[in-house]
Amino acid sequence: MSAASTAPSSPEVVQQFSDLDIASTVTTPAVTRPSSPIPAALPPSPLPSGKHKIAVIGSGSWGSALAKIAAENAWRRKDDFHSEVRMWVREKIVNGKPLTHVINRTHLNSRYLPDITLPKNLVAVPHLKDVVKDATLIVFVVPHQFLHTVLSELSKPGVLTPGARAISAIKGVEVNGTDIQTFASLIEAKVGTPCSALSGANIALEVALGQFCETTIGCPTHDDSLLWSAVFNAPTFRVATVEDVNGVSLGGALKNIVALAAGFVDGLGLGGNTKAAILRIGLKEMTEFCLEFFEGSKAETFSNESAGIADLITTCYGGRNRKCAEEFVKSGQSFEHIERKLLNGQKLQGTATAEEVNNFLVARKRAHAYPLFEKVFQIAFEGLSPKQLVVGL
């Protein structure tokens, strides 16, 4: 069994230069030599200690991967953060033992990230109030189906620390008739904390393994950018911040609809040309949807950032939505059956988002303006043959 780490546990690549001739007769004066960058001073914590305290709500593969990074950074920056990071785990029995006990004893989340060693300062906690007690920085990464229950608990008086901030890494949107909102805006409205959004080309297992990738954090203020960069930026998890919370949120949600289309393409045995066309059309519809319905959003978030084009590419080639859509075409089984068969208890996000977005567009009488989104909904919910996917695009 892997030994738990007390400091950063991501693997580091060490390069050997012993065979290179790097001798030089030039000496740079000491005063001009660049020093290691000094981390920016963080906005003050509302806690008497002056340190920020991180809590992670969610412990699936993505939640555990983000919690791992946050705990490693909290350990490194003990002057800025309380070293203990708590992670909310919905209690389950695994091999006859509570999952929280298993995680805290072995420092492995055997259900969702087997063989990935978690830092010792990451503590699994089964009760939500205990997780967020005194927390100033709260990471939301539960399946969106459970978010309302979580927010109902957190909105009770005295549960959250005054002055706390939140970030959403949840994919999806909330639709009520002709109204639509991101989960970041829902969290902010329900519990009164400013809420940023994190999304990018981030397959959870690859992130947990320390394979290099980028992510995007959309923040409402500069202070939020400083704080969330300090929580998540790492040598193998490069953070870029933008002042576009809605764009980052929508990129993470809408790309799952396009990923279903990519899976249909794979299930039909079609080639790279067709998938590339689907990705182009999908990115266009994602961008236009955000610009049409979310004032202040930026097209550059989709074209330039990891939360846009990069995440779309990764999801359409390697994500769970693509995999399940391919199986849908090949097996003829329902998405509900496929979810149970392939996802080990995790939830399929693309179908729920496709339904929500279609309901919104129909209510706004704009479904015809987004033909790929419409086709995906019709295939997933109305029995349209997957072979009709590209007809009329």
Side-chain angles (χ1 to χ4, degrees):
M1 182 173 296
S2 302
S5 66
T6 59
S9 55
S10 300
E12 296 182 359
V13 178
V14 179
Q15 297 180 341
Q16 301 294 331
F17 294 102
S18 57
D19 295 333
L20 297 181
D21 181 7
I22 56 173
S24 173
T25 58
V26 178
T27 301
T28 305
V31 293
T32 67
R33 291 174 184 161
S35 60
S36 299
I38 300 173
L42 299 184
S45 166
L47 299 180
S49 66
K51 299 180 182 182
H52 288 278
K53 188 171 185 179
I54 305 166
V56 180
I57 301 177
S59 57
S61 57
W62 184 215
S64 297
L66 287 177
K68 177 177 180 290
I69 294 171
E72 290 168 356
N73 282 340
W75 185 268
R76 290 190 186 103
R77 297 183 61 164
K78 293 181 182 179
D79 290 341
D80 295 315
F81 297 107
H82 285 267
S83 58
E84 181 182 272
V85 173
R86 295 181 179 181
M87 176 175 70
W88 182 53
V89 176
R90 296 175 71 239
E91 197 70 282
K92 300 177 185 294
I93 301 301
V94 178
N95 297 325
K97 298 179 181 179
L99 181 56
T100 54
H101 293 188
V102 174
I103 292 174
N104 291 332
R105 182 176 60 83
T106 67
H107 304 285
L108 298 169
N109 187 343
S110 58
R111 182 174 176 85
Y112 294 120
L113 278 181
D115 302 323
I116 299 295
T117 303
L118 301 176
K120 281 184 177 180
N121 61 314
L122 178 62
V123 179
V125 178
H127 302 296
L128 192 57
K129 286 184 179 180
D130 294 335
V131 172
V132 299
K133 180 176 173 56
D134 296 327
T136 62
L137 298 171
I138 304 171
V139 183
F140 286 85
V141 63
V142 292
H144 70 264
Q145 295 92 332
F146 305 131
L147 182 59
H148 277 281
T149 302
V150 169
L151 293 178
S152 177
E153 183 74 13
L154 297 183
S155 62
K156 295 176 181 178
V159 174
L160 293 183
T161 301
R165 300 170 190 262
I167 191 169
S168 170
I170 305 170
K171 316 297 185 184
V173 290
E174 177 93 351
V175 171
N176 291 294
T178 58
D179 294 325
I180 187 170
Q181 63 182 150
T182 66
F183 290 128
S185 61
L186 177 65
I187 292 166
E188 190 164 319
K190 293 291 185 181
V191 299
T193 60
C195 191
S196 301
L198 182 151
S199 189
N202 308 139
I203 299 295
L205 178 60
E206 296 176 17
V207 172
L209 287 169
Q211 297 178 11
F212 177 77
C213 66
E214 298 177 310
T215 201
T216 311
I217 300 180
C219 300
T221 69
H222 179 63
D223 280 355
D224 291 281
S225 297
L226 291 174
L227 286 165
W228 293 117
S229 290
V231 171
F232 289 115
N233 192 56
T236 60
F237 193 70
R238 181 177 294 168
V239 169
T241 60
V242 295
E243 291 186 6
D244 186 5
V245 179
N246 286 331
V248 173
S249 298
L250 266 292
L254 298 177
K255 54 99 177 188
N256 286 325
I257 304 177
V258 185
L260 293 178
F264 296 153
V265 168
D266 292 339
L268 292 168
L270 302 175
N273 290 347
T274 306
K275 183 178 276 193
I278 290 297
L279 265 67
R280 187 201 66 79
I281 295 167
L283 182 63
K284 178 174 178 288
E285 292 193 13
M286 289 166 58
T287 306
E288 291 176 352
F289 183 94
C290 201
L291 295 178
E292 179 174 357
F293 299 114
F294 289 85
E295 185 178 356
S297 299
K298 302 174 182 178
E300 297 80 28
T301 301
F302 294 88
S303 61
N304 295 0
E305 301 296 337
S306 183
I309 180 63
D311 193 12
L312 180 64
I313 292 170
T314 294
T315 305
C316 287
Y317 281 89
R320 74 181 74 160
N321 293 281
R322 186 220 63 80
K323 178 172 69 173
C324 288
E326 180 180 15
E327 182 67 12
F328 176 83
V329 175
K330 289 182 174 179
S331 70
Q333 297 170 336
S334 69
F335 274 112
E336 292 80 4
H337 178 82
I338 293 168
E339 181 183 79
R340 290 192 299 270
K341 181 173 70 172
L342 297 183
L343 297 189
N344 190 31
Q346 295 184 303
K347 296 296 182 181
L348 187 62
Q349 299 153 329
T351 49
T353 304
E355 185 175 29
E356 293 273 23
V357 167
N358 183 77
N359 291 343
F360 170 75
L361 289 172
V362 168
R364 287 292 189 97
K365 297 181 172 55
R366 291 290 291 159
H368 66 279
Y370 298 88
L372 181 62
F373 290 174
E374 186 176 37
K375 282 290 182 70
V376 170
F377 170 78
Q378 291 171 342
I379 293 169
F381 291 97
E382 296 186 341
L384 182 70
S385 170
K387 293 180 181 179
Q388 297 297 308
L389 175 67
V390 300
V391 177
L393 293 182

PDB file of all heavy atoms in Angstrom, residues 7 16 38 49 52 129-130 136 153-154 183 191 310 319:
ATOM      1  N   ALA A   7       3.731  16.252   2.230  1.00  0.00           N
ATOM      2  CA  ALA A   7       4.015  17.422   1.429  1.00  0.00           C
ATOM      3  C   ALA A   7       3.579  17.087   0.019  1.00  0.00           C
ATOM      4  O   ALA A   7       2.966  16.057  -0.200  1.00  0.00           O
ATOM      5  CB  ALA A   7       5.501  17.757   1.525  1.00  0.00           C
ATOM      6  N   GLN A  16      18.775  15.692 -15.778  1.00  0.00           N
ATOM      7  CA  GLN A  16      20.206  15.597 -15.510  1.00  0.00           C
ATOM      8  C   GLN A  16      20.992  16.322 -16.605  1.00  0.00           C
ATOM      9  O   GLN A  16      20.754  16.116 -17.791  1.00  0.00           O
ATOM     10  CB  GLN A  16      20.632  14.117 -15.477  1.00  0.00           C
ATOM     11  CG  GLN A  16      19.890  13.294 -14.429  1.00  0.00           C
ATOM     12  CD  GLN A  16      20.250  13.740 -13.028  1.00  0.00           C
ATOM     13  OE1 GLN A  16      21.356  14.226 -12.803  1.00  0.00           O
ATOM     14  NE2 GLN A  16      19.321  13.565 -12.104  1.00  0.00           N
ATOM     15  N   ILE A  38       8.379  35.739  -5.447  1.00  0.00           N
ATOM     16  CA  ILE A  38       7.755  35.771  -4.131  1.00  0.00           C
ATOM     17  C   ILE A  38       6.246  35.746  -4.333  1.00  0.00           C
ATOM     18  O   ILE A  38       5.706  36.562  -5.082  1.00  0.00           O
ATOM     19  CB  ILE A  38       8.178  37.030  -3.358  1.00  0.00           C
ATOM     20  CG1 ILE A  38       9.699  37.042  -3.165  1.00  0.00           C
ATOM     21  CG2 ILE A  38       7.460  37.118  -2.015  1.00  0.00           C
ATOM     22  CD1 ILE A  38      10.224  38.327  -2.561  1.00  0.00           C
ATOM     23  N   SER A  49      -6.765  34.031  13.330  1.00  0.00           N
ATOM     24  CA  SER A  49      -5.405  33.567  13.026  1.00  0.00           C
ATOM     25  C   SER A  49      -4.761  34.336  11.892  1.00  0.00           C
ATOM     26  O   SER A  49      -3.538  34.306  11.725  1.00  0.00           O
ATOM     27  CB  SER A  49      -5.433  32.085  12.668  1.00  0.00           C
ATOM     28  OG  SER A  49      -6.144  31.891  11.447  1.00  0.00           O
ATOM     29  N   HIS A  52      -6.141  31.711   5.971  1.00  0.00           N
ATOM     30  CA  HIS A  52      -7.330  31.195   5.299  1.00  0.00           C
ATOM     31  C   HIS A  52      -7.453  29.695   5.537  1.00  0.00           C
ATOM     32  O   HIS A  52      -6.453  28.986   5.696  1.00  0.00           O
ATOM     33  CB  HIS A  52      -7.270  31.487   3.801  1.00  0.00           C
ATOM     34  CG  HIS A  52      -7.480  32.929   3.483  1.00  0.00           C
ATOM     35  ND1 HIS A  52      -8.732  33.493   3.404  1.00  0.00           N
ATOM     36  CD2 HIS A  52      -6.596  33.936   3.241  1.00  0.00           C
ATOM     37  CE1 HIS A  52      -8.624  34.777   3.119  1.00  0.00           C
ATOM     38  NE2 HIS A  52      -7.333  35.078   3.015  1.00  0.00           N
ATOM     39  N   LYS A 129     -21.600  20.406   8.065  1.00  0.00           N
ATOM     40  CA  LYS A 129     -21.329  21.536   8.956  1.00  0.00           C
ATOM     41  C   LYS A 129     -19.908  21.487   9.502  1.00  0.00           C
ATOM     42  O   LYS A 129     -19.268  22.523   9.691  1.00  0.00           O
ATOM     43  CB  LYS A 129     -22.336  21.530  10.115  1.00  0.00           C
ATOM     44  CG  LYS A 129     -23.743  21.966   9.720  1.00  0.00           C
ATOM     45  CD  LYS A 129     -24.653  22.026  10.943  1.00  0.00           C
ATOM     46  CE  LYS A 129     -26.046  22.486  10.573  1.00  0.00           C
ATOM     47  NZ  LYS A 129     -26.945  22.550  11.757  1.00  0.00           N
ATOM     48  N   ASP A 130     -19.411  20.287   9.764  1.00  0.00           N
ATOM     49  CA  ASP A 130     -18.049  20.156  10.281  1.00  0.00           C
ATOM     50  C   ASP A 130     -17.015  20.499   9.220  1.00  0.00           C
ATOM     51  O   ASP A 130     -15.930  21.012   9.527  1.00  0.00           O
ATOM     52  CB  ASP A 130     -17.812  18.732  10.786  1.00  0.00           C
ATOM     53  CG  ASP A 130     -18.659  18.392  12.004  1.00  0.00           C
ATOM     54  OD1 ASP A 130     -19.042  19.326  12.734  1.00  0.00           O
ATOM     55  OD2 ASP A 130     -18.951  17.203  12.206  1.00  0.00           O
ATOM     56  N   THR A 136     -12.868  29.708   5.160  1.00  0.00           N
ATOM     57  CA  THR A 136     -12.963  30.994   4.464  1.00  0.00           C
ATOM     58  C   THR A 136     -12.954  30.826   2.952  1.00  0.00           C
ATOM     59  O   THR A 136     -13.325  31.748   2.231  1.00  0.00           O
ATOM     60  CB  THR A 136     -11.797  31.911   4.872  1.00  0.00           C
ATOM     61  OG1 THR A 136     -10.550  31.297   4.484  1.00  0.00           O
ATOM     62  CG2 THR A 136     -11.801  32.160   6.370  1.00  0.00           C
ATOM     63  N   GLU A 153     -28.535  23.344   3.411  1.00  0.00           N
ATOM     64  CA  GLU A 153     -27.863  23.153   4.694  1.00  0.00           C
ATOM     65  C   GLU A 153     -26.933  24.327   5.006  1.00  0.00           C
ATOM     66  O   GLU A 153     -26.885  24.819   6.143  1.00  0.00           O
ATOM     67  CB  GLU A 153     -27.070  21.849   4.663  1.00  0.00           C
ATOM     68  CG  GLU A 153     -26.369  21.475   5.960  1.00  0.00           C
ATOM     69  CD  GLU A 153     -27.318  20.965   7.030  1.00  0.00           C
ATOM     70  OE1 GLU A 153     -28.478  20.664   6.694  1.00  0.00           O
ATOM     71  OE2 GLU A 153     -26.897  20.883   8.195  1.00  0.00           O
ATOM     72  N   LEU A 154     -26.211  24.787   4.005  1.00  0.00           N
ATOM     73  CA  LEU A 154     -25.225  25.848   4.241  1.00  0.00           C
ATOM     74  C   LEU A 154     -25.866  27.211   4.463  1.00  0.00           C
ATOM     75  O   LEU A 154     -25.237  28.107   5.054  1.00  0.00           O
ATOM     76  CB  LEU A 154     -24.257  25.935   3.061  1.00  0.00           C
ATOM     77  CG  LEU A 154     -23.378  24.717   2.787  1.00  0.00           C
ATOM     78  CD1 LEU A 154     -22.438  25.001   1.624  1.00  0.00           C
ATOM     79  CD2 LEU A 154     -22.585  24.314   4.020  1.00  0.00           C
ATOM     80  N   PHE A 183     -24.115  27.636 -11.949  1.00  0.00           N
ATOM     81  CA  PHE A 183     -24.074  27.199 -10.560  1.00  0.00           C
ATOM     82  C   PHE A 183     -23.295  28.180  -9.685  1.00  0.00           C
ATOM     83  O   PHE A 183     -23.559  28.308  -8.497  1.00  0.00           O
ATOM     84  CB  PHE A 183     -23.514  25.784 -10.463  1.00  0.00           C
ATOM     85  CG  PHE A 183     -24.460  24.752 -11.012  1.00  0.00           C
ATOM     86  CD1 PHE A 183     -24.041  23.833 -11.952  1.00  0.00           C
ATOM     87  CD2 PHE A 183     -25.777  24.730 -10.600  1.00  0.00           C
ATOM     88  CE1 PHE A 183     -24.920  22.893 -12.467  1.00  0.00           C
ATOM     89  CE2 PHE A 183     -26.673  23.798 -11.105  1.00  0.00           C
ATOM     90  CZ  PHE A 183     -26.244  22.879 -12.043  1.00  0.00           C
ATOM     91  N   VAL A 191     -26.259  31.425  -0.744  1.00  0.00           N
ATOM     92  CA  VAL A 191     -25.518  31.503   0.525  1.00  0.00           C
ATOM     93  C   VAL A 191     -24.806  32.842   0.734  1.00  0.00           C
ATOM     94  O   VAL A 191     -24.199  33.050   1.782  1.00  0.00           O
ATOM     95  CB  VAL A 191     -24.510  30.338   0.662  1.00  0.00           C
ATOM     96  CG1 VAL A 191     -25.234  29.011   0.637  1.00  0.00           C
ATOM     97  CG2 VAL A 191     -23.450  30.394  -0.433  1.00  0.00           C
ATOM     98  N   ALA A 310      -9.723  24.107 -25.244  1.00  0.00           N
ATOM     99  CA  ALA A 310      -8.912  22.990 -24.735  1.00  0.00           C
ATOM    100  C   ALA A 310      -9.788  21.968 -24.008  1.00  0.00           C
ATOM    101  O   ALA A 310      -9.645  20.754 -24.199  1.00  0.00           O
ATOM    102  CB  ALA A 310      -7.815  23.511 -23.805  1.00  0.00           C
ATOM    103  N   GLY A 319     -13.554  12.019 -22.273  1.00  0.00           N
ATOM    104  CA  GLY A 319     -14.400  12.165 -21.104  1.00  0.00           C
ATOM    105  C   GLY A 319     -15.497  11.116 -21.001  1.00  0.00           C
ATOM    106  O   GLY A 319     -15.750  10.337 -21.918  1.00  0.00           O
TER     107      GLY A 319
END
